[in-house]
Amino acid sequence: MAQGFETRQIHAGEVIDAQAGARITPIYQTAGYVFDSFDEAESRFSDRGDLPVYSRQSNPSNRVVEGRIADLEGGRGALLTGSGQAAIFTAIYALASAGDRILVTTSLYEGTKQLFRNSLSRQGLEFVFIDAEADDDEWRRHVTERTKAIYTETIPNPKNDIPDLARLARLAHEAGIPFVVDNTVATPYLARPIEWGADIVVHSTSKWLGGHGAVLGGAVVDAGTFDWTAHAQRFPQFHRSPRPGTPSYAERFGTGAFLPFAVTVANEYGPTLPATSAWLLLLGIETLSLRLDRHVANTQRVAEWLEQHPAVAGVDYPGLPSSPWHERARTYLPKGPGSVLAFDVRGGREAARTVLDALRLVTRMTHIGDVRTLAIHTGSTIHGALTEPDRLALGITPGLIRLSVGLETVDDVIADLDQALARVVAPGR
Ligand SMILES: Cc1ncc(COP(=O)(O)O)c(C=O)c1O
């Protein structure tokens, strides 16, 4: 019988330390590894075998965490990176080259959009942003032979406008391209995009997977589902040999070719996650389901409370029956739609300033997925580089505050919001 999620978040991928039998995965905080002989060095270098060569390429602590995240996502393998941004960069860089195009849903974490619009565009990649709700023909219209992926987020940060994963997967596969999903805000406990057709999943593990706001990290998960051989012309990189005289990635790994190729890409430019960070991440993952259940319950309470507050014009949280994304969230996120919400304070930017400056328990901070409740006015910070019309087009209204609801006693969080909101004069109050 397949083991349950709670068992796997504690045990999947574990390797009992051969030297002392340590129950907890040791931290292999080392740059390199001793080669016993000339021949052993050559053999370790010949491929990504069981034994590591150098920690930029692989590390035993990291491998345990990679195995665990891959298992929880239902993937074939995973690669850890130094941050979520590095994971997204690695995935896109492995798929696309100068002149190639990626289709992207418009509602996404702003840092990802900046990576796409700035650094990756500068390298000659083209990103076409399309409303996730645009009809099939609109999506198909942007597919050319240079289009290499469709990219979205399970729960878009911060608007929570849940995309139809199964439909986007179908459109990607119809076009002969992989479907890439950022599953950061859902985590594999709340949603597993691979079950809905994703071929590659990326994460910022800095958020709920790590869970304590103590450590940055990222992950790229390969579902092992995409047939690179059937689309050899579109993806020539998987049909080259890593070394002369050896089989290509596709010949050797078949539908699992993406991950070893991504490992090569990451090894070449070096966005390595330190072993100590991997170890802290592992500790976080062990309690993921417990934390997420409480995060979701607290967020539902806070969202319901905010929705009835006269100083609040609206709340973006798909757990609310009033949300246009409520039904879709029930399909894709049956255990709950995460713990980020955005609420619009009546009175715009000045009212949002008053509320944020009055918070005592809730931390003003740019981050999500912490045990602590965090708040930020995204319009003047994360979305500060956009024009006002661009912000409004994304639903980032002047009074919008993003809240990442933590694990404090929820009544205390509500009490803090209550005293802060009481300082803004609400029409009709
Ligand atoms: C959905 C999402 N993806 C990726 C990232 C980037 O992750 P990191 O901060 O670990 O680079 C973030 C950061 O907030 C995020 O919210």
Side-chain angles (χ1 to χ4, degrees):
M1 196 184 82
Q3 290 182 323
F5 191 94
E6 289 75 8
T7 306
R8 292 183 290 119
Q9 74 187 356
I10 294 171
H11 293 290
E14 69 184 356
V15 179
I16 301 298
D17 162 46
Q19 201 177 2
R23 188 65 191 88
I24 302 295
T25 298
I27 305 175
Y28 288 87
Q29 191 61 51
T30 180
Y33 305 85
V34 177
F35 305 138
D36 285 341
S37 64
F38 180 101
D39 287 345
E40 206 221 337
E42 186 177 38
S43 122
R44 282 200 193 196
F45 261 78
S46 63
D47 60 28
R48 197 192 188 216
D50 279 344
L51 294 171
V53 166
Y54 185 59
S55 281
R56 169 153 49 71
Q57 169 253 14
S58 180
N59 174 288
S61 306
N62 293 33
R63 279 213 191 163
V64 170
V65 190
E66 289 167 347
R68 189 150 310 171
I69 292 175
D71 184 284
L72 296 179
E73 281 289 0
R76 186 142 148 192
L79 163 70
L80 285 181
T81 56
S83 68
Q85 291 296 97
I88 297 164
F89 180 94
T90 304
I92 298 297
Y93 226 55
L95 289 172
S97 312
D100 288 345
R101 171 184 280 190
I102 308 283
L103 306 186
V104 184
T105 51
T106 39
S107 184
L108 283 190
Y109 166 57
E110 186 59 21
T112 302
K113 291 167 93 171
Q114 283 169 4
L115 169 67
F116 291 173
R117 273 198 233 103
N118 303 329
S119 294
L120 285 174
S121 291
R122 217 157 35 76
Q123 302 307 315
L125 273 61
E126 185 196 9
F127 294 88
V128 180
F129 289 88
I130 306 172
D131 187 328
E133 299 307 307
D135 64 24
D136 288 5
D137 287 341
E138 173 65 7
W139 280 90
R140 288 189 190 114
R141 201 166 69 74
H142 296 282
V143 176
T144 67
E145 77 276 9
R146 299 293 311 252
T147 304
K148 300 299 169 80
I150 291 181
Y151 184 98
T152 195
E153 289 176 5
T154 322
I155 305 179
N157 170 11
K159 288 296 286 180
N160 284 322
D161 37 359
I162 317 276
D164 186 346
L165 293 182
R167 183 174 79 100
L168 295 179
R170 172 175 56 73
L171 286 165
H173 297 153
E174 243 177 43
I177 55 178
F179 182 40
V180 185
V181 179
D182 180 335
N183 199 32
T184 299
V185 181
T187 83
Y189 179 63
L190 298 180
R192 281 169 303 283
I194 290 171
E195 293 173 4
W196 298 100
D199 302 289
I200 295 158
V201 172
V202 292
H203 274 283
S204 165
T205 64
S206 323
K207 317 299 180 190
W208 294 265
L209 283 171
H212 295 82
V215 67
L216 293 189
V220 182
V221 183
D222 181 9
T225 43
F226 194 80
D227 188 349
W228 306 103
T229 302
H231 303 285
Q233 277 195 316
R234 205 186 281 268
F235 297 102
Q237 65 269 44
F238 300 107
H239 300 276
R240 292 205 193 99
S241 303
R243 304 180 132 223
T246 62
S248 72
Y249 290 94
E251 283 164 345
R252 186 161 169 211
F253 300 104
T255 55
F258 176 78
L259 189 71
F261 184 71
V263 168
T264 305
V265 169
N267 187 40
E268 282 167 359
Y269 78 91
T272 314
L273 185 74
T276 309
S277 298
W279 187 87
L280 284 164
L281 170 57
L282 193 62
L283 217 54
I285 292 173
E286 290 179 350
T287 56
L288 181 67
S289 65
L290 302 170
R291 287 185 286 105
L292 258 294
D293 280 340
R294 183 61 66 86
H295 273 297
V296 166
N298 283 0
T299 311
Q300 185 70 29
R301 275 279 310 281
V302 172
E304 286 169 6
W305 182 85
L306 282 170
E307 193 177 40
Q308 54 68 47
H309 198 287
V312 174
V315 181
D316 294 317
Y317 186 62
L320 295 171
S322 59
S323 162
W325 314 105
H326 185 64
E327 279 312 312
R328 197 175 280 167
R330 283 160 63 106
T331 303
Y332 289 115
L333 299 142
K335 290 198 173 88
S339 57
V340 175
L341 62 81
F343 66 101
D344 190 21
V345 184
R346 290 186 204 278
R349 182 185 157 106
E350 283 314 306
R353 179 204 299 273
T354 304
V355 171
L356 276 161
D357 283 346
L359 293 170
R360 295 175 190 145
L361 174 68
V362 175
T363 309
R364 285 175 294 278
M365 192 166 128
T366 182
H367 184 45
I368 50 177
D370 197 304
V371 293
R372 283 149 282 263
T373 300
L374 314 175
I376 191 162
H377 179 254
T378 76
S380 56
T381 55
I382 298 163
H383 298 104
L386 300 180
T387 63
E388 184 71 4
D390 283 348
R391 276 195 288 270
L392 289 174
L394 293 172
I396 311 296
T397 47
L400 199 79
I401 294 178
R402 183 184 76 185
L403 212 58
S404 173
V405 179
L407 301 180
E408 300 96 338
T409 305
V410 68
D411 289 335
D412 294 336
V413 175
I414 289 174
D416 195 31
L417 291 168
D418 194 30
Q419 63 81 25
L421 281 165
R423 293 171 196 236
V424 295
V425 182
R429 200 183 197 194

